[in-house]
Amino acid sequence: MKRILSGVQPSGRAHLGNYLGAMRQHIEMAKEYEAYLFIADLHALTTVKDPQQMKEQTYDLAVSYLALGLNPEKTVFFKQSDLSEHAELCWILDCMVKMPFLERAHAWKDSQAKGKKESTVGLFNYPILQAADILLYQPDLVPVGQDQKQHIEMTRDIATTFNNNYGETFKIPEPFIKKEVAVVPGTDGQKMSKSYGNTIEIFADDATLKKQVMGIVTNSVPVEDPKDPKSCNVFKLYKLIAEEKEAKELENKYIKGNFGYGDAKKALLEKIMTHFEEAREKYQEIYPKQDYVYGVIAEGNKRAKEQAGKTLNEVKKKIGYL
Ligand code: ADP
Ligand code: TRP
């Protein structure tokens, strides 16, 4: 059976971009693949410095996955910081990778452009920790959004270098990026991202969700005029959630005119509410069950450790530690 692995940082609440670009595939693919999914809290330390926030956002992400339908029996669902193997393999790989290789990373270049003094060593090292996360589990596929493509390519390069120097050790993983949801737009038309403040949060309370949807930026074509659905952020998001037939109907309303952006936003809000109705209810139901949620993670940690320990042992033999 083929294997998938992916992680999401607990750096804020899950949004439509996370769900459509990654989390939905994680949950769906776990039905036919062997699946390892984890909360990337070591990575989140590059941005989340408040301990309370780290704890709450980690818990929130675990509940979000469970509410969206992750089956903890079929999926090994774990927390990165509970497994020392990730940081251990990261150090070993650190000693195999040259500085200029990391200097090419987009995230590092962006942070350097903003101000060198603020960039931590952890941020520089981020892609190697991600390579360790992936290689420990020997997955075939890594389902992610487009923004993670470079990280998977770097992982492949690092694995190849190690294999060439020490003999076959790591499987070379493939990124799995779904084309139509590779870059989900945010409320301002840029890529939806927690760091841009342009998100629509799946589990926000009704009032916040409404505010986020109503805040989507549109152009100033008057209500009565025909509008171009393809260039409208509201339509783009609607199309990603709705059935094909429903999207066609909304498209026709845009083209006919006498249909304002306010109407389109209402249609989108309703669609989001119905699409996530069950998940939103489940979120409320699961959230208070702390023992259950922490129990799922503890069990996932145990199962993950088996696989991670096996690979790390192999690596240690190859480099002469064992
Ligand atoms: P953010 O950019 O909001 O901080 P993360 O880095 O936590 O999101 O991303 C978690 C997963 O969601 C990754 O696989 C990432 O590629 C995917 N993802 C995030 N934003 C989007 C988006 N706008 N469109 C498609 N996928 C996305
Ligand atoms: N860097 C990823 C993100 O920001 C999170 C992540 C950490 C990850 N380790 C991973 C994704 C391993 C896939 C595989 O979304």
Side-chain angles (χ1 to χ4, degrees), residues 5-9 38 40 43 80 126 129-131 133-134 142-144 147-148 151-152:
L5 169 132
S6 197
V8 174
Q9 295 186 68
F38 68 96
H43 281 102
Q80 188 189 25
Y126 187 111
L129 179 59
Q130 184 156 346
D133 295 340
I134 297 171
V142 184
V144 284
D147 59 352
Q148 295 301 310
H151 288 148
I152 316 301

Side-chain angles (χ1 to χ4, degrees), residues 31-201:
K31 293 176 187 162
E32 50 176 319
Y33 290 81
E34 196 186 345
Y36 286 82
L37 292 177
F38 68 96
I39 300 175
D41 56 346
L42 293 177
H43 281 102
L45 191 57
T46 56
T47 53
V48 181
K49 310 292 182 182
D50 178 74
Q52 194 55 30
Q53 215 180 339
M54 182 68 91
K55 202 171 226 121
E56 278 171 20
Q57 289 174 178
T58 298
Y59 188 76
D60 174 77
L61 183 57
V63 177
S64 300
Y65 259 117
L66 292 167
L68 286 166
L70 178 139
N71 176 351
E73 312 259 300
K74 289 213 74 180
T75 304
V76 179
F77 185 48
F78 64 101
K79 179 152 81 74
Q80 188 189 25
S81 68
D82 286 337
L83 280 95
S84 57
E85 286 81 357
H86 290 244
E88 252 186 280
L89 180 60
C90 178
W91 174 256
I92 293 170
L93 299 177
D94 273 349
C95 298
M96 314 283 159
V97 176
K98 308 280 195 305
M99 294 276 284
F101 177 82
L102 279 189
E103 276 161 357
R104 290 203 294 270
H106 301 315
W108 177 250
K109 284 204 281 197
D110 290 351
S111 124
Q112 290 287 286
K114 283 187 196 129
K116 286 190 194 277
K117 282 195 178 153
E118 292 305 314
S119 316
T120 61
V121 177
L123 188 69
F124 185 60
N125 211 17
Y126 187 111
I128 309 213
L129 179 59
Q130 184 156 346
D133 295 340
I134 297 171
L135 299 176
L136 278 173
Y137 299 90
Q138 312 274 18
D140 299 280
L141 296 176
V142 184
V144 284
Q146 179 70 25
D147 59 352
Q148 295 301 310
K149 190 161 186 257
Q150 191 189 35
H151 288 148
I152 316 301
E153 280 163 1
M154 293 173 99
T155 301
R156 290 167 58 89
D157 285 348
I158 294 169
T160 306
T161 304
F162 190 97
N163 286 351
N164 287 343
N165 289 338
Y166 292 97
E168 277 311 300
T169 310
F170 297 123
K171 186 173 256 177
I172 311 293
E174 297 277 348
F176 179 88
I177 300 171
K178 242 183 139 183
K179 219 164 136 209
E180 42 318 344
V181 286
V183 186
V184 176
T187 54
D188 59 357
Q190 291 190 81
K191 175 201 156 220
M192 188 178 288
S193 172
K194 289 161 216 154
S195 39
Y196 301 154
N198 63 358
T199 59
I200 296 175
E201 295 166 348

Side-chain angles (χ1 to χ4, degrees), residues 225-281:
D225 289 8
K227 299 175 182 63
D228 174 23
K230 295 203 170 60
S231 63
C232 176
N233 293 325
V234 183
F235 183 74
K236 282 185 202 163
L237 288 169
Y238 188 87
K239 198 163 179 250
L240 294 177
I241 309 173
E243 302 289 330
E244 215 178 307
K245 189 170 143 263
E246 295 169 318
K248 198 78 208 149
E249 281 165 16
L250 191 70
E251 190 174 350
N252 286 336
K253 288 184 183 167
Y254 269 73
I255 296 168
K256 260 172 92 185
N258 277 325
F259 182 74
Y261 288 120
D263 301 318
K265 288 176 185 176
K266 267 190 217 137
L268 174 61
L269 181 62
E270 242 168 64
K271 194 80 246 159
I272 295 173
M273 283 298 193
T274 46
H275 188 88
F276 293 104
E277 188 180 8
E278 197 189 324
R280 285 167 62 82
E281 274 170 24

